[in-house]
Amino acid sequence: MEHRIVGPGPYRATKLWNETVELFRARMPLRKHRCRFKSYERCFTAAEAVDWLHELLRCSQNFGPEVTRKQTVQLLKKFLKNHVIEDIKGKWGQEDFEDNRHLYRFPPSSPLKPYPKKPTYQKDAIKFPEWNDPPPGTSQENIPVRPLVMNSEMWFKRHSIAIGEVPACRLVYRRQLTEANVEEIWKSMTLSYLQKVLGLDSLEEVLDIKLVNSKFIIHNVYSVSKQGVVILDDKSKELPHWVLSAMKCLANWPNCSDLKQPMYLGFEKDVFKTIADYYGHLKEPLLTFHLFDAFVSVLGLLQKEKMAIEAFQICCLLLPPENRRKLQLLMRMMARICLNKEMPPLCDGLGTRTLMVQTFSRCILCSKDEVDLDELLAVRLVTFLMDNYQEILKVPLALQTSIEERVAHLRRVQIKYPGADMDITLSAPSFCRQISPGEFEYQRAYGSQEPLAALLEEVITDAKLSSKEKKKKLKQFQKSYPEVYQERFPTPESEALLFPEKPKPKPQLLMWALKNPFQPFQRTRSFRM
């Protein structure tokens, strides 16, 4: 009895329904039964069906061991209503299935559920401004294009840094990003990140992009307390103070030695019932109706825990801030109650953890339309959420950093130099021609030789430059383009001809060097003794 793992994607709930129906029809043991002195072939009792299907669901990685016998009975009621099974008299269509000895059988065929047809959502990624985007109201068509002429002067400007001169530059400011632009960037990049994590080609059938509010995403990222809980601007959407007080009471339930603990029996049960009644009467589940398919799709990643947590983080950013805050406070209370060994039993027939899951699963995840497995899927999601709520309800740091860097890049200025390619409107090439490796190497080696050689000649023949400046430029050119320089000056002699040595004048006899210049010559005394 093995369930095939249904991964993330559209119509996951329908796929799980069809998978469960096929396994139930193919592997449920059938045998002969007697009822009111009459024998019936190939049938089963209601209790046998509950036993077998309960074990199947508990062992399935799509649902998990948290599935209860009561939930299995609810699923069999839906099987009876949808004619997956019928009683031995052929009756079906009502949910009057009970966990007893009543006999049931399979009809000749059990139709599988078709995939629902949903309206086509927007597939294209949201476009936000780029560096080269024209201002609104302009068109790039029929704009006259000035051809690019790469003469020696242009090459001199382009390579002026290499030969020691930095040309004047100007700062080009990008057109101002509006608040709407920033919101579109957050929305587009968040949805793209979710699509990547889920491994889907499109979010078209999982999520209606038009219903995603970018303001919710930004608010859930930045308007948070030190504990990471969302702070609401509209205080009217806060939890009622009596509900919040009740949740704090159970979340911080004191030890037996604390004198502040109420003394009458059943107080904790009354407080828990107050909280359950409030959440049970919400008009919409905390994860909202329109995000149901997205969260159900993420359940297909539970075998890869890290990826599932990452996907849940992004999905929870899409929630309205008031829903995210209520979810954060509820999950914190549920987790603390389950970990508190001093907490008295809140229900006589169920353990504390099972009670938490069964009580709040429907107010967390529920489908607006009838989905036959939504109760089991909600239990699966809430169980995983309780175990990992601290990570799931955190802001994904990698996504936040990526978006902030993108916005900062779009707001950054550009530096343009006169004569560079940025100053000239170039026509886009209409096609590319493939060349051989040999031709590529030749063009790479010799494609720019002629302009560089012309640039070198201009430096050599420039009469306005002094010899000192010309030597400096030639030395820098030689360092940057040694091959071109070597071709122009193959030998040291050819380089020396450019700067011929001037004849050195003979040193003049200094008159003051002589002690007595006008005295007649006198014979010196011999040094020989």
Side-chain angles (χ1 to χ4, degrees):
M1 295 190 303
E2 292 185 359
H3 243 111
R4 180 177 60 87
I5 299 178
V6 180
Y11 316 121
R12 186 172 185 270
T14 304
K15 293 176 182 178
L16 287 173
W17 168 273
N18 292 341
E19 178 79 9
T20 305
V21 169
E22 289 177 346
L23 285 175
F24 184 52
R25 284 181 58 88
R27 300 183 183 180
M28 174 66 198
L30 305 177
R31 62 186 180 90
K32 182 178 179 180
H33 288 81
R34 289 182 62 86
C35 181
R36 296 182 181 180
F37 307 104
K38 188 175 180 180
S39 297
Y40 297 92
E41 299 288 341
R42 297 180 58 79
C43 59
F44 51 87
T45 66
E48 291 172 346
V50 174
D51 291 338
W52 191 91
L53 186 58
H54 186 214
E55 185 64 21
L56 173 69
L57 297 174
R58 284 174 52 84
C59 296
S60 170
Q61 295 183 357
N62 293 313
F63 300 104
E66 300 290 338
V67 178
T68 64
R69 188 175 182 88
K70 181 180 178 181
Q71 291 171 337
T72 306
V73 173
Q74 294 296 325
L75 179 57
L76 284 167
K77 287 183 177 182
K78 295 181 179 181
F79 279 1
L80 181 61
K81 182 179 180 180
N82 289 275
H83 205 194
V84 176
I85 59 176
E86 63 183 16
D87 68 2
I88 55 175
K89 296 181 181 180
K91 294 181 180 181
W92 62 277
Q94 297 181 354
E95 295 186 2
D96 55 355
F97 184 93
E98 300 293 340
D99 190 357
N100 53 26
R101 300 292 299 174
H102 194 75
L103 294 180
Y104 292 90
R105 66 189 180 189
F106 291 118
S109 63
S110 294
L112 301 179
K113 286 186 175 293
Y115 296 149
K117 294 183 179 179
K118 296 186 177 182
T120 302
Y121 301 145
Q122 179 182 358
K123 289 185 179 181
D124 299 335
I126 299 175
K127 181 71 169 60
F128 43 83
E130 298 289 347
W131 272 104
N132 298 322
D133 283 353
T138 62
S139 174
Q140 294 293 331
E141 298 180 0
N142 302 323
I143 296 179
V145 178
R146 182 176 65 179
L148 174 64
V149 180
M150 194 62 68
N151 53 22
S152 59
E153 181 181 359
M154 181 70 70
W155 277 94
F156 178 78
K157 292 179 178 179
R158 171 175 289 184
H159 297 83
S160 57
I161 296 179
I163 60 177
E165 290 185 0
V166 179
C169 62
R170 59 189 177 91
L171 296 180
V172 179
Y173 290 89
R174 194 193 185 286
R175 60 188 180 93
Q176 185 67 28
L177 281 180
T178 63
E179 183 179 353
N181 295 145
V182 176
E183 291 175 358
E184 288 175 355
I185 295 172
W186 273 92
K187 178 177 178 179
S188 177
M189 295 189 67
T190 301
L191 295 179
S192 299
Y193 205 74
L194 176 61
Q195 178 179 331
K196 179 181 178 181
V197 174
L198 292 178
L200 301 178
D201 296 331
S202 172
L203 296 177
E204 175 188 8
E205 296 173 340
V206 172
L207 184 66
D208 188 350
I209 297 178
K210 296 178 181 179
L211 298 179
V212 176
N213 193 326
S214 57
K215 295 181 183 294
F216 292 169
I217 302 175
I218 298 175
H219 188 99
N220 291 333
V221 170
Y222 293 109
S223 299
V224 294
S225 64
K226 295 181 179 180
Q227 293 75 26
V229 180
V230 175
I231 301 175
L232 300 181
D233 296 331
D234 187 358
K235 300 304 180 181
S236 64
K237 297 181 180 180
E238 286 275 9
L239 281 170
H241 69 279
W242 49 272
V243 177
L244 190 58
S245 298
M247 295 177 68
K248 289 182 178 179
C249 178
L250 292 184
N252 304 311
W253 188 259
N255 296 326
C256 296
S257 59
D258 195 334
L259 297 178
K260 295 181 181 180
Q261 181 177 354
M263 301 308 296
Y264 77 88
L265 294 176
F267 174 81
E268 67 283 348
K269 295 181 181 179
D270 293 340
V271 175
F272 180 76
K273 186 177 183 300
T274 300
I275 301 170
D277 288 343
Y278 171 79
Y279 277 95
H281 288 84
L282 293 176
K283 296 181 180 180
E284 187 179 33
L286 295 179
L287 301 185
T288 69
F289 287 133
H290 82 272
L291 292 176
F292 175 82
D293 289 333
F295 280 100
V296 170
S297 182
V298 177
L299 288 176
L301 291 174
L302 293 190
Q303 307 307 315
K304 304 175 182 178
E305 183 175 324
K306 185 177 180 180
M307 293 182 62
I309 291 176
E310 193 173 8
F312 276 128
Q313 284 180 335
I314 303 173
C315 288
C316 289
L317 282 182
L318 308 181
L319 296 173
E322 58 270 19
N323 289 39
R324 182 178 172 91
R325 177 176 172 83
K326 291 177 182 177
L327 181 64
Q328 288 174 321
L329 297 177
L330 178 61
M331 296 311 303
R332 178 182 295 183
M333 182 202 72
M334 294 168 61
R336 289 186 177 182
I337 290 176
C338 292
L339 295 175
N340 190 355
K341 297 181 180 180
E342 302 296 335
M343 174 66 68
L346 298 175
C347 181
D348 297 333
L350 293 175
T352 304
R353 179 183 173 88
T354 304
L355 177 64
M356 294 294 112
V357 174
Q358 299 301 325
T359 303
F360 297 107
S361 60
R362 294 285 291 175
C363 70
I364 293 177
L365 180 69
C366 182
S367 174
K368 186 175 183 180
D369 303 322
E370 182 180 359
V371 177
D372 295 305
L373 294 177
D374 58 351
E375 294 180 3
L376 301 179
L377 296 173
V379 169
R380 183 66 165 155
L381 183 142
V382 173
T383 302
F384 186 81
L385 193 58
M386 282 184 61
D387 296 335
N388 303 277
Y389 79 97
Q390 291 181 330
E391 288 293 324
I392 291 175
L393 295 177
K394 284 170 50 179
V395 176
L397 184 58
L399 174 63
Q400 179 182 354
T401 303
S402 177
I403 296 176
E404 288 175 349
E405 289 178 352
R406 176 62 177 169
V407 173
H409 169 72
L410 293 176
R411 286 173 171 166
R412 196 173 297 131
V413 299
Q414 279 186 327
I415 300 177
K416 291 188 178 182
Y417 295 96
D421 293 343
M422 299 178 184
D423 287 355
I424 302 176
T425 304
L426 301 177
S427 58
S430 57
F431 66 92
C432 296
R433 180 177 65 86
Q434 186 176 4
I435 61 176
S436 63
E439 187 176 358
F440 169 75
E441 294 295 334
Y442 177 82
Q443 290 184 4
R444 185 178 67 172
Y446 302 102
S448 59
Q449 298 288 332
E450 295 180 2
L452 289 175
L455 175 62
L456 180 59
E457 289 297 330
E458 286 189 4
V459 175
I460 295 173
T461 58
D462 193 349
K464 297 180 180 179
L465 295 176
S466 64
S467 298
K468 184 177 181 181
E469 293 177 346
K470 187 175 296 186
K471 287 181 180 181
K472 181 180 179 181
K473 289 182 179 293
L474 290 177
K475 185 176 181 180
Q476 292 175 343
F477 191 98
Q478 181 183 13
K479 184 177 180 181
S480 301
Y481 308 104
E483 296 178 356
V484 179
Y485 192 87
Q486 179 67 25
E487 185 177 357
R488 177 62 176 82
F489 300 106
T491 61
E493 290 77 10
S494 59
E495 184 179 5
L497 293 176
L498 184 61
F499 302 101
E501 294 184 0
K502 297 181 180 179
K504 296 181 179 180
K506 294 182 179 180
Q508 298 180 358
L509 184 63
L510 299 179
M511 299 301 294
W512 54 268
L514 300 176
K515 188 174 182 181
N516 296 313
F518 299 104
Q519 291 183 1
F521 178 77
Q522 297 180 1
R523 184 174 182 178
T524 60
R525 180 179 299 178
S526 174
F527 288 98
R528 289 190 297 177
M529 300 299 299

